[in-house]
Amino acid sequence: MSDLIQSSLDKPFFIKVLLHNIGTHVDPIILIDKIQEGMEIEGLRDSLVKILQDYHLQISLREGCKKILVVDSFNLLDRLIKTQRKGIAVSNMRYASDVIVFHCKHAFHEDCLPVRGVNSCPICSTQKRAPAFK
C-alpha cells in the first residue's frame, strides 16, 4: 500500500481517488500527511467528508458490537452461575438415599431436602448469601 501512496503523491487525481477509497484499509492520516503543501486537489473536500463519514460508521459499528458482547458476556456469566449453583446427584451410594451436592460444598440426602428438584442450596438460600466458591 505504501508503494501505491508514494507513486500517487505527484498526481492530484490519484490522491483524490485514494482518499475517497482508502478509509477502511489504511489510516488516511498517512496519506494526508504526505500531500505536498499548496497542491490543488479537485474534490478534496468531498473526499475528506467521506473519510469522516466512514470513520463515524466504523465507530458506530464498534460500539454496537461492544454492546452486544457485553450483554452476551453477562448472559453467559449468569448462566454459568445458575449452572454452578445447581445440585449434583451422587447415586449408587450404600446409604439410605442419593446425595445431592451443591457447588457451595453443602451436601444433603435427597430425602432430607425440603422439596424435590431444588436448584439451590437451602442453607445458602436461607442465609441470602452467595455460595462460597473455593
Side-chain angles (χ1 to χ4, degrees):
M1 188 56 84
S2 61
D3 291 339
L4 179 62
I5 292 172
Q6 281 302 120
S7 64
S8 301
L9 288 177
D10 59 344
K11 300 167 189 78
F13 177 76
F14 285 3
I15 291 175
K16 177 187 133 187
V17 172
L18 277 177
L19 283 173
H20 201 72
N21 297 301
I22 203 170
T24 58
H25 305 290
V26 177
D27 184 2
I29 299 296
I30 295 170
L31 177 58
I32 293 170
D33 284 343
K34 293 184 179 187
I35 296 174
Q36 297 171 4
E37 192 172 318
M39 179 183 276
E40 289 189 29
I41 303 172
E42 188 178 319
L44 177 63
R45 179 183 168 279
D46 294 337
S47 295
L48 293 176
V49 167
K50 181 164 182 344
I51 289 172
L52 291 174
Q53 288 172 340
D54 289 348
Y55 174 75
H56 287 294
L57 179 61
Q58 285 181 351
I59 296 298
S60 176
L61 287 172
R62 286 182 185 180
E63 288 175 358
C65 289
K66 181 181 174 184
K67 287 178 184 177
I68 290 169
L69 286 173
V70 167
V71 169
D72 282 352
S73 296
F74 279 109
N75 288 339
L76 288 172
L77 178 63
D78 187 48
R79 198 164 111 193
L80 174 67
I81 290 169
K82 285 179 182 175
T83 301
Q84 287 180 338
R85 285 185 178 166
K86 287 185 178 179
I88 301 168
V90 181
S91 57
N92 296 330
M93 300 286 292
R94 282 180 278 168
Y95 302 106
S97 64
D98 290 344
V99 175
I100 304 294
V101 181
F102 291 93
H103 196 287
C104 59
K105 299 184 182 172
H106 290 126
F108 300 88
H109 288 111
E110 189 174 34
D111 294 338
C112 297
L113 286 171
V115 180
R116 285 204 177 266
V118 171
N119 284 331
S120 60
C121 172
I123 293 173
C124 294
S125 297
T126 303
Q127 294 175 357
K128 295 186 179 175
R129 66 180 174 95
F133 298 108
K134 294 180 183 179

